[in-house]
Amino acid sequence: MDPFLVKAIQLILSLSFLIVLHELGHFIPAKLFKTRVEKFFLFFDVKFALFKKKIGGTVYGIGWLPLGGYVKIAGMIDESMDKEQMALPPKEWEFRSKPAWQRLIIMLGGVTVNLVLGFLIYMMIIFVWGTAHVGPEEMPKGFAVVDSFEEYGFQDGDRILKVNGKDFENSLDINKHLFMRGIENITVLHQNGEEESISVPEEIGTQMFEKGIMQPFVPIMAPVLDSIQPGLAAEKAGLKKGDKLVSLNKVEIGYWHELAPVSMENKEKEVELVYERDGEIKSTSITPNEEGKLGFVKNYDFDIQRNSYGLTQSISKGFDYGYWTLRDYVYQFKYVFTKKGATQLGGFGAIGGLFPDAWNWYGFWNTTALLSIILAFMNILPIPALDGGHVMFLMYEMITGRKPNDKFMEIAQMVGFFLLIALVLYANGNDIYRWLFE
């Protein structure tokens, strides 16, 4: 199946799952507090719905615009902007008639569900698949290091021993930790057998972002193919598992990390690929796609160990993984407000790109857990039209004892809604720009 289609299916399935559970987070406490829920929709039903059915006092349905979902709670100023209902005297079953603490629980329900769900999925992943472990003994060739990091004292072939003085479980996580975890020093084993503790600058993450160096450490591996991604250039060129790359566009490829720069320089250009198959040298024409991808899946020539965990350990380990995932996302969120970060905002294309090219349950659930935690964080931001905006006004009411008037809430909701629409259009516009011009 075409990789684009596989990613699209995973994206729709994942978002549908997360949206429905998020809205249930509002729906269930609303029902518990005897608040009428008039609509429960997956996706938005602007002008018409693909499906809808009224059960009890609630219309359940699926809209045609896949930008989210919603529950319409009676007596609440939300994206429906139902001014007629709000002009009538409050009814006991309406949202506005409930105590502030009940309204707060209803509004926090969706965020809570997404946050808890993300943690639960990580616990499930660790219970089923365990965690990866690649230590220095599994990587005898070590890492290739970008030029700018050689200035600090790192060398090609370095193996990671410790980070901030502590043993480092998975060497493949070093780039992520450098970018987001506040690393002060890394202890490496050079290829000459010398062990050295190397200090890194305090703002190394910011420097990596500004210079566009997100992978300063790349495992040194022989360029042997493990498999071929369907629908991409490698499959069309007839490459097979076990083929060893020799050169691309007359540039010798001795290791995997030497391939990407050449491929990126020749995006959408037909170039010569020389490879070795069963001891015989062959050549073919190949065209990297608009992202510089050829469709090769690396054959890791070192062992990736899997650590297995029991149920209790999985709960603890999954909670820890979920905590660091949330913390890392919050930490890197600051880059959105930089000039470069604004240009890298992505929409559905970028989100879809997080999923694997071929169906993979581990990849699907791992990305779904990440998206669940991102949705929780984004929804709690104090922006009108988001859950966090409603929570902000409720907190104001609980502290001061005064409700913001309905006219102010309507204007705030409208401003927040148009702000979100503008952000969605901008982010997806970035996706289209990158697809067309990069």
Side-chain angles (χ1 to χ4, degrees):
M1 187 181 293
D2 183 83
F4 175 82
L5 186 58
V6 173
K7 286 175 179 285
I9 292 172
Q10 291 179 93
L11 174 64
I12 293 171
L13 182 61
S14 177
L15 288 182
S16 298
F17 175 67
L18 294 177
I19 290 167
V20 168
L21 291 179
H22 176 92
E23 300 307 335
L24 278 173
H26 297 304
F27 179 86
I28 292 173
K31 286 291 191 180
L32 288 175
F33 295 135
K34 303 186 186 309
T35 310
R36 182 174 296 175
V37 180
E38 298 175 347
K39 287 185 175 184
F40 186 116
F41 263 76
L42 169 64
F43 305 147
F44 293 117
D45 57 326
V46 181
K47 299 298 183 182
F48 70 92
L50 299 177
F51 164 83
K52 62 180 178 179
K53 183 176 178 62
K54 189 170 185 177
I55 302 174
T58 304
V59 176
Y60 299 87
I62 301 175
W64 64 272
L65 187 60
L67 295 179
Y70 71 97
V71 287
K72 185 179 185 303
I73 300 175
M76 175 181 171
I77 297 175
D78 58 11
E79 57 269 17
S80 67
M81 300 301 288
D82 190 347
K83 297 180 182 180
E84 291 183 9
Q85 184 184 70
M86 298 303 295
L88 299 173
K91 308 293 193 301
E92 63 177 9
W93 36 262
E94 288 186 337
F95 180 82
R96 55 182 165 164
S97 300
K98 303 300 176 181
W101 67 269
Q102 291 186 3
R103 285 180 278 138
L104 183 63
I105 291 174
I106 292 170
M107 293 316 306
L108 286 173
V111 168
T112 303
V113 166
N114 279 137
L115 191 60
V116 171
L117 177 64
F119 279 67
L120 288 175
I121 293 175
Y122 281 132
M123 293 173 188
M124 179 271 292
I125 288 172
I126 289 174
F127 181 71
V128 175
W129 287 283
T131 59
H133 172 84
V134 179
E137 61 279 1
E138 280 85 43
M139 294 186 64
K141 296 176 184 175
F143 287 96
V145 183
V146 297
D147 294 345
S148 60
F149 270 63
E150 290 179 355
E151 298 173 4
Y152 306 135
F154 296 105
Q155 303 172 14
D156 284 345
D158 280 350
R159 288 184 274 174
I160 309 297
L161 298 180
K162 296 181 179 181
V163 171
N164 292 343
K166 297 180 180 179
D167 291 338
F168 197 58
E169 182 179 29
N170 186 9
S171 295
L172 299 181
D173 285 341
I174 188 61
N175 295 315
K176 178 174 71 175
H177 282 242
L178 272 168
F179 183 50
M180 294 183 288
R181 300 283 176 92
I183 289 179
E184 297 175 357
N185 59 77
I186 301 173
T187 303
V188 298
L189 180 65
H190 296 307
Q191 284 295 309
N192 62 7
E194 179 186 350
E195 188 175 314
E196 183 181 3
S197 179
I198 300 174
S199 298
V200 295
E202 184 178 351
E203 295 297 322
I204 188 65
T206 301
Q207 292 179 28
M208 289 169 61
F209 179 77
E210 291 175 349
K211 294 178 181 178
I213 302 173
M214 304 311 294
Q215 298 286 326
F217 290 91
V218 180
I220 296 176
M221 299 184 296
V224 178
L225 310 190
D226 178 73
S227 58
I228 304 298
Q229 294 176 353
L232 294 181
E235 182 183 56
K236 298 172 184 176
L239 277 297
K240 297 180 180 179
K241 178 178 181 176
D243 289 346
K244 182 179 181 181
L245 307 183
V246 176
S247 69
L248 180 66
N249 197 31
K250 302 188 186 307
V251 178
E252 184 178 349
I253 306 298
Y255 298 100
W256 269 116
H257 64 273
E258 297 172 341
L259 175 67
V262 185
S263 182
M264 290 296 292
E265 287 175 4
N266 293 279
K267 290 187 291 187
E268 299 185 295
K269 298 178 185 177
E270 186 177 281
V271 292
E272 181 188 27
L273 174 70
V274 178
Y275 61 98
E276 180 182 336
R277 177 182 295 170
D278 299 327
E280 183 181 352
I281 300 297
K282 298 175 176 287
S283 69
T284 186
S285 295
I286 194 166
T287 305
N289 67 9
E290 67 278 0
E291 297 175 346
K293 292 183 178 180
L294 292 164
F296 299 141
V297 177
K298 301 175 183 178
N299 176 47
Y300 287 89
D301 55 6
F302 52 82
D303 293 329
I304 299 179
Q305 306 292 326
R306 304 297 304 187
N307 294 332
S308 299
Y309 301 92
L311 181 59
T312 304
Q313 289 176 307
S314 298
I315 292 172
S316 174
K317 197 79 175 176
F319 181 87
D320 185 63
Y321 196 92
Y323 164 78
W324 281 106
T325 299
L326 175 60
R327 182 189 177 282
D328 288 345
Y329 186 77
V330 173
Y331 176 85
Q332 69 177 1
F333 189 70
K334 65 181 182 181
Y335 294 113
V336 171
F337 302 101
T338 66
K339 183 178 180 180
K340 181 177 180 181
T343 63
Q344 294 185 348
L345 276 176
F348 292 109
I351 297 172
L354 298 173
F355 290 95
D357 294 323
W359 188 270
N360 178 312
W361 280 113
Y362 172 82
F364 172 80
W365 285 117
N366 203 39
T367 304
T368 298
L370 173 63
L371 291 179
S372 191
I373 286 176
I374 290 174
L375 284 174
F377 173 71
M378 295 300 292
N379 264 290
I380 203 60
L381 293 176
I383 300 173
L386 290 178
D387 295 343
H390 291 285
V391 169
M392 176 178 63
F393 293 127
L394 278 168
M395 293 300 294
Y396 168 82
E397 178 185 340
M398 295 174 76
I399 292 170
T400 65
R402 294 179 297 170
K403 281 186 179 182
N405 66 62
D406 288 350
K407 187 64 177 177
F408 171 81
M409 291 294 290
E410 288 174 9
I411 294 172
Q413 187 75 15
M414 190 175 298
V415 170
F417 179 75
F418 283 115
L419 178 64
L420 291 177
I421 290 296
L423 184 61
V424 168
L425 291 173
Y426 176 76
N428 285 282
N430 276 347
D431 283 346
I432 295 171
Y433 179 86
R434 284 191 288 265
W435 179 63
L436 291 174
F437 301 108
E438 295 185 4

